[in-house]
Amino acid sequence: MQLHEIRPGKLRAVRHLLPWGCMLAAPLIAFGQDDDQGGEGEGQQRSGAIADELQHVDPTLDGWQTEVLQGKAKDMVYEFLQRTYASGQRTQEAFSDLISEGFEGATSLRPKGMQPIELAGGTLVFRPELWDPDLEPASSLAGQIEDLCGALGSAGGLRFAVKMVQCRELEDELFEAEAWIQVDGRSEEGAVQQNFAWHMRFELGEEDRAMLRSIELRDFSEVHTSGPYFTELTEFVLGDLPFFERELSLGVDDYHYKVDRLTGNSFLGSQGLALGDVNGDGLDDLYLSQQGGMPNRLLLRNADGTLRDFTKESGTGLLDNTRSSLILDMDGDGDQDLVLAIGPNVILLYNDGELHFDEHVFLGNDVPTDIFSLSAADPDGDGDLDIYACRYIDNGIMGGNPTPYHDANNGSPNLYWRNEGDRKFKDATEEVGLGVNNAKFSLASIWEDFDSDGDLDLYVANDFGRNTLYRNDGERFAEVGVSSGAGETAASMGLSCSDIDLDGDMDVLVSNMFSAAGRRVVPNQEKFMGGAHPTVHQFFERHARGNTLLVNRGDGSFEDTTEVAGIELGRWAWGGRFVDFNGDGYEDMYVPNGFVTGPDEDDL
C-alpha cells in the first residue's frame, strides 16, 4: 500500500513506508471442461490455445527485444542497489563488473542542498528544487554512491522495488531504460524511504549482460519518519472471536471451490465491509460481508476497541455471496439499518431499535448479474436515501470480454432505486436519466455536489473504459463525463472525494491500475498489436498510467493534475481514500493495492 501527502500550491507526492503491493501483468487464460468430459480432440484444441497464450509470456518467443533488454536491465539495477546499500567499502572496483569500459558517468544520485519540509507526526520530506543535469566524471561514481546510501547507511531490513517504465533500442547496439525505484529501511532513529527515477543507457557485455553506460537522475525525494504511522492490531481487535482462526485469518484461496458454488463462489474475494453505530452507544460497529457459504458477521465494538460477535442474536448472518454492504438509516426512524448486495439483488435488513433485523425488503431486477458495490444518498432532496448499485459483466467475472477493451460498452447496467417512503423503492434508472452510457464495467460510485449548485451529482468508476459523471439537473441527470474532463479512459477501481486544495469545491481521486509493462510495451507502435490500430494506443497508454487526481475548477469541470502531483504509481490500486492521517489539515492518500497471487512469485 502507499500513502501520499498532498500540499496545496505544490502538489507533491510522498510515498511512505508501507508494504509493497503486488502486480500481475499476464494474460488471463480461460479453461473449459476437463478432458474426460469433452469430445474427442477437444483437449488437444484447448492445449493448443493455451500453448499459443504461453508464447506471449516469454518475450524471446515472439520477438519483443525491448522486453528482453528491460529484463536484463532490471536484474542489473537490483544488483547495483544491493551493492550500493550493502555495508562495507563502496569502491569503483566493487561495481566494475556492472559498468561498461565506456562508462560515461552519472549525474548526482542524491542532490545536494535539499531542504526539508516538516509534516505533522514527526515526518520530514526532502526534495531538491533543482540539480545539475550534467554527467559527473566516471571516477566520481564511488562518491556518488556513498552520498546516495548515506541516509540509509545504518538502516536494517532494506527493501527495494524497481519498476522499469521505459525501454528503447538505440544505435550501435546500445539501449536506454527508465526505472522508478523505491528503497526503505528502519534504524533506531526511525524509518527512511528514498524514491527516485533513473534514466540509464546500457550496452550488452559478456554473456549478454546489461552493462551501465550512464545514469541520469530524473526525480528524487526522501522521507524520514520517527516511527510508523500504523500499528498492527488485527489479533487484538478480532483475536477473541471464536471463528478468528478458521475464518478471518484465511484468504480467498483457502475457500475458493471449497464451498457450494450455488451460494456464490467468489474467485476475487471482492467482499466489502461497513462501519456504523448500529446499537446507538456512540461507537462504530462493523458488518463484514463474506463470500457464499460463509456467514456475514455483525461485530459490535467494545469500549476497549475489541469486537464481539452479535450475528446470531441480530439475525444478520446471511450465507449468500455478499459483495457490498452499507450501514444507514433507510427508513428515518433514528436507528441504523443494513443494505446488502447479494448476488444480483439488494436486500434491506431493518433494525427494530433492539438490534433485531427481522424485517427484510427485497429489490430484484430482470438481469441476473451480480452487484459489485453500493452507494446511497438523497439526490432528489426529499429527505430519504436512494440506492445506486454498480454491476460489472453478464455471467460473472470470467463470463465475457470487454468490447472494445479501451471503452467497453457490453457491461451489465447499473441500477438506481428511488426511496418512495414507507420502506418501498422504485427502479427509476431510466426515468431520471441514469440509463445513459450505462453498459459499463462499473466497480464504484460516489455522490457529491461537484458543481456546487446544492444537489448531489454521481460519479461512476468503470473498468475497461470511460468513467461517467452524471450532473444532477433537478428532476433528471445529464451524463457529462467527457465534457467535464472527468470521463477518463482507464482501468478504474475506486473513488474518493475531498477538497485537497482548500478552494471550497470537491476534487476526486480515482484508483486505477498501474502497469510498468504497459508503460513500456504500448508506446512501441510497430510491435504493439502488430502495429495495427494506432488511434487506440493513447487509450491503452492511459490504462497503464495508474491513479488519477482530478482537481475541480469550481464549476463542476476538472483538470487532470496526476503527473504534477506524482500520484500515478499506486500499483494495482483498488479503493484509495483521502484521509488526513497526521492531523495537519491537509488530506493524504492511502491506496490499497495488489491482486491474486500464489506462493511462487512466478505463478501467473
Side-chain angles (χ1 to χ4, degrees):
M1 295 184 183
Q2 289 187 290
L3 181 65
H4 300 278
E5 174 94 13
I6 302 296
R7 311 286 292 184
K10 292 186 177 180
L11 294 173
R12 291 173 172 172
V14 178
R15 296 177 176 93
H16 274 293
L17 304 137
L18 296 165
W20 306 119
C22 58
M23 278 294 299
L24 176 66
L28 291 176
I29 301 171
F31 293 89
Q33 296 174 314
D34 294 336
D35 285 348
D36 59 359
Q37 294 177 331
E40 185 176 354
E42 193 174 341
Q44 286 90 338
Q45 285 183 330
R46 283 196 300 274
S47 297
I50 295 170
D52 181 64
E53 292 286 354
L54 291 175
Q55 293 286 320
H56 303 291
V57 175
D58 184 348
T60 63
L61 299 178
D62 58 0
W64 272 91
Q65 180 63 10
T66 53
E67 284 299 280
V68 175
L69 293 174
Q70 73 84 23
K72 296 178 182 294
K74 188 173 185 179
D75 290 342
M76 194 288 304
V77 171
Y78 268 113
E79 181 62 29
F80 193 97
L81 294 172
Q82 292 283 356
R83 297 187 194 184
T84 294
Y85 292 94
S87 59
Q89 191 174 16
R90 301 179 179 97
T91 64
Q92 196 92 355
E93 291 73 21
F95 294 83
S96 60
D97 61 329
L98 301 180
I99 59 178
S100 71
E101 292 183 2
F103 182 65
E104 300 167 9
T107 60
S108 175
L109 300 184
R110 184 177 185 271
K112 295 178 172 57
M114 292 189 297
Q115 297 300 314
I117 302 171
E118 186 171 1
L119 308 180
T123 298
L124 291 175
V125 181
F126 295 85
R127 285 188 65 95
E129 291 294 333
L130 297 170
W131 61 85
D132 189 348
D134 295 330
L135 298 179
E136 298 182 16
S139 58
S140 303
L141 182 62
Q144 292 170 303
I145 289 171
E146 196 72 41
D147 289 341
L148 175 62
C149 67
L152 281 159
S154 62
L158 288 177
R159 300 179 300 178
F160 309 100
V162 177
K163 294 292 184 185
M164 305 297 296
V165 296
Q166 183 191 94
C167 186
R168 189 166 68 93
E169 292 183 273
L170 303 173
E171 296 177 353
D172 301 323
E173 298 185 351
L174 300 177
F175 70 98
E176 63 182 1
E178 184 167 322
W180 293 356
I181 301 166
Q182 295 176 319
V183 183
D184 73 75
R186 297 186 181 277
S187 64
E188 292 182 359
E189 293 78 26
V192 180
Q193 180 168 309
Q194 293 176 328
N195 315 290
F196 48 92
W198 283 354
H199 186 88
M200 297 163 285
R201 290 204 303 159
F202 298 89
E203 66 181 57
L204 292 179
E206 295 182 3
E207 299 180 354
D208 279 346
R209 295 183 62 202
M211 307 289 286
L212 263 175
R213 283 287 294 263
S214 64
I215 306 175
E216 297 178 33
L217 185 68
R218 294 291 174 87
D219 190 29
F220 190 91
S221 66
E222 191 170 280
V223 185
H224 295 245
T225 67
S226 57
Y229 273 102
F230 303 100
T231 301
E232 173 61 65
L233 293 175
T234 306
E235 192 162 358
F236 169 77
V237 173
L238 301 169
D240 289 339
L241 297 172
F243 50 85
F244 174 72
E245 291 290 341
R246 70 174 185 270
E247 202 168 300
L248 302 183
S249 63
L250 302 176
V252 66
D253 54 328
D254 295 300
Y255 291 113
H256 186 49
Y257 287 135
K258 295 178 183 176
V259 295
D260 190 339
R261 70 177 182 177
L262 294 177
T263 61
N265 204 305
S266 181
F267 170 67
L268 290 180
S270 53
Q271 275 63 41
L273 54 83
L275 292 174
D277 182 9
V278 296
N279 59 357
D281 65 353
L283 302 174
D284 278 343
D285 309 304
L286 184 147
Y287 189 78
L288 179 65
S289 304
Q290 302 216 71
Q291 70 172 10
M294 308 277 292
N296 294 342
R297 298 286 186 179
L298 178 60
L299 306 175
L300 302 183
R301 184 179 169 191
N302 299 316
D304 64 356
T306 61
L307 296 174
R308 66 186 186 275
D309 186 24
F310 203 74
T311 306
K312 183 177 179 181
E313 296 88 337
S314 62
T316 56
L318 283 72
L319 291 168
D320 301 270
N321 187 32
T322 307
R323 291 190 182 274
S324 183
S325 55
L326 302 173
I327 297 177
L328 296 166
D329 183 3
M330 296 301 298
D331 54 1
D333 64 353
D335 51 40
Q336 301 295 298
D337 310 305
L338 290 171
V339 185
L340 310 180
I342 295 183
N345 309 302
V346 170
I347 296 180
L348 293 92
L349 281 61
Y350 285 98
N351 188 344
D352 67 355
E354 301 293 333
L355 276 189
H356 301 123
F357 293 80
D358 296 330
E359 183 173 347
H360 302 171
V361 170
F362 175 85
L363 304 180
N365 64 92
D366 296 332
V367 181
T369 302
D370 279 4
I371 294 169
F372 270 59
S373 69
L374 298 169
S375 63
D378 183 17
D380 53 6
D382 64 353
D384 51 33
L385 296 174
D386 308 324
I387 300 171
Y388 190 79
C390 287
R391 300 199 290 186
Y392 200 71
I393 188 172
D394 294 337
N395 303 315
I397 189 70
M398 304 293 283
N401 296 318
T403 307
Y405 175 90
H406 64 282
D407 191 16
N409 286 293
N410 63 322
S412 192
N414 299 334
L415 299 166
Y416 170 68
W417 280 287
R418 185 172 58 212
N419 193 333
E420 303 283 274
D422 197 27
R423 299 184 177 179
K424 293 182 173 60
F425 291 80
K426 177 183 178 181
D427 182 349
T429 310
E430 298 294 335
E431 177 185 336
V432 301
L434 293 176
V436 178
N437 284 344
N438 192 30
K440 304 291 186 179
F441 286 59
S442 302
L443 286 172
S445 60
I446 195 165
W447 297 91
E448 188 55 69
D449 184 6
F450 292 113
D451 54 2
S452 302
D453 65 350
D455 52 32
L456 293 174
D457 312 301
L458 176 66
Y459 191 61
V460 182
N462 301 314
D463 205 356
F464 301 110
R466 289 196 182 278
N467 294 339
T468 44
L469 174 60
Y470 297 95
R471 186 187 63 220
N472 192 338
D473 289 337
E475 295 182 358
R476 288 183 61 83
F477 290 85
E479 205 286 291
V480 295
V482 174
S483 62
S484 68
E488 68 161 359
T489 300
S492 298
M493 311 287 182
L495 298 166
S496 185
C497 292
S498 182
D499 181 12
I500 64 159
D501 49 7
L502 305 181
D503 65 350
D505 49 44
M506 300 304 287
D507 312 301
V508 185
L509 168 65
V510 187
S511 298
N512 298 322
M513 231 171 31
F514 169 89
S515 171
R519 293 179 71 105
R520 295 191 309 268
V521 168
V522 175
N524 189 333
Q525 295 203 11
E526 293 183 4
K527 289 286 294 178
F528 181 66
M529 299 175 69
H533 312 295
T535 57
V536 303
H537 280 217
Q538 60 179 316
F539 299 114
F540 281 83
E541 288 189 53
R542 187 61 173 262
H543 269 239
R545 188 185 71 169
N547 294 328
T548 295
L549 181 62
L550 299 174
V551 171
N552 197 326
R553 295 189 178 101
D555 58 0
S557 67
F558 295 88
E559 179 183 358
D560 186 339
T561 63
T562 303
E563 294 179 357
V564 175
I567 58 93
E568 59 265 56
L569 178 55
R571 293 166 168 79
W572 195 305
W574 293 92
R577 302 292 297 176
F578 284 119
V579 181
D580 181 9
F581 281 106
N582 56 359
D584 63 354
Y586 300 123
E587 296 283 4
D588 312 306
M589 298 179 185
Y590 190 63
V591 184
N593 53 42
F595 199 64
V596 178
T597 58
D600 182 352
E601 65 179 13
D602 296 322
D603 181 7
L604 298 180

